[in-house]
Amino acid sequence: MAKASAPHPAKTESLKQRFFGEMKIYFVITLYLWVVLALFALYKRALLNENGIDYWRQGSAILNALILGKVVLLGEILKVGDKLRKRALVWVVLGKTVMFTALLMLFHVIEEMIRALIKGLPLAESIMSIGGGSWFGMYVYAAIMFVMLLPLTAFGELAFVLGKGGMWKLMTSREIHSNR
């Protein structure tokens, strides 16, 4: 989730360059979230179809990915968890993943509250719908969100450590693998 830049990026980046850089990051985050959310929607459909319930909400996966991607990008812009970078990489990744999970869960609760107000539903009932109507379901949803964000955070932090272009070079260069 961290930007693939050096620890001290040059201040000479133009507004246009920064915009396209942020959009590229947003695209990657959103694409990742969409794939994972779409797979969950397909799995939910398969489970419900086994019980004779017709369910298809693939459109919500892309909409949620677009919204959650923006929330993640906003968290990055606000430097959520950046103070953890003084620690070992594993703690940075775990800590930032917890923080981003909390941020996304908070946003999801606010989203459900707004939906309840618009539809005239009770707030508590609407919020609990996130976890299927129980606190256990809410915790499971948060755990799934944590696991979903873990690789995204790990790759982002690794890209930060490697510096601008370092992750791309690591993933695409044969020279790195020939040193074995």
Side-chain angles (χ1 to χ4, degrees):
M1 284 188 299
K3 295 176 191 173
S5 61
H8 301 290
K11 302 284 184 195
T12 58
E13 248 184 354
S14 72
L15 187 59
K16 183 178 176 182
Q17 289 171 322
R18 283 183 46 208
F19 172 77
F20 284 111
E22 296 292 334
M23 290 307 295
K24 186 170 83 172
I25 293 166
Y26 175 63
F27 175 76
V28 170
I29 291 169
T30 302
L31 180 64
Y32 173 77
L33 292 173
W34 175 61
V35 167
V36 174
L37 293 171
L39 287 172
F40 277 120
L42 286 171
Y43 182 65
K44 187 174 184 177
R45 180 181 184 198
L47 289 177
L48 291 174
N49 279 343
E50 285 180 8
N51 295 307
I53 300 170
D54 189 31
Y55 175 85
W56 185 247
R57 289 182 51 189
Q58 207 49 265
S60 66
I62 187 64
L63 183 62
N64 279 337
L66 288 166
I67 293 167
L68 294 177
K70 191 63 183 164
V71 172
V72 169
L73 189 59
L74 182 62
E76 280 295 325
I77 291 169
L78 295 175
K79 301 187 183 306
V80 170
D82 279 4
K83 290 184 180 181
L84 294 170
R85 287 191 172 139
K86 298 172 191 165
R87 302 181 187 281
L89 187 60
V90 66
W91 301 119
V92 176
V93 170
L94 290 173
K96 284 187 81 167
T97 303
V98 166
M99 290 179 185
F100 275 92
T101 299
L103 181 65
L104 290 179
M105 289 299 291
L106 176 66
F107 182 80
H108 205 44
V109 166
I110 292 169
E111 181 184 24
E112 289 300 322
M113 290 172 67
I114 292 169
R115 182 176 293 136
L117 290 172
I118 290 171
K119 292 184 175 184
L121 300 171
L123 287 178
E125 181 182 312
S126 181
I127 292 169
M128 291 306 290
S129 72
I130 294 170
S134 70
W135 284 107
F136 176 73
M138 183 83 86
Y139 293 133
V140 169
Y141 189 85
I144 289 170
M145 189 84 63
F146 176 84
V147 171
M148 178 178 76
L149 291 173
L150 199 55
L152 191 65
T153 306
F155 272 95
E157 286 305 308
L158 189 55
F160 178 81
V161 169
L162 294 173
K164 189 170 183 94
M167 180 63 92
W168 182 254
K169 184 178 179 184
L170 179 67
M171 300 300 281
T172 60
S173 176
R174 288 183 181 216
E175 295 170 16
I176 292 171
H177 300 293
S178 64
N179 292 334
R180 293 185 185 174

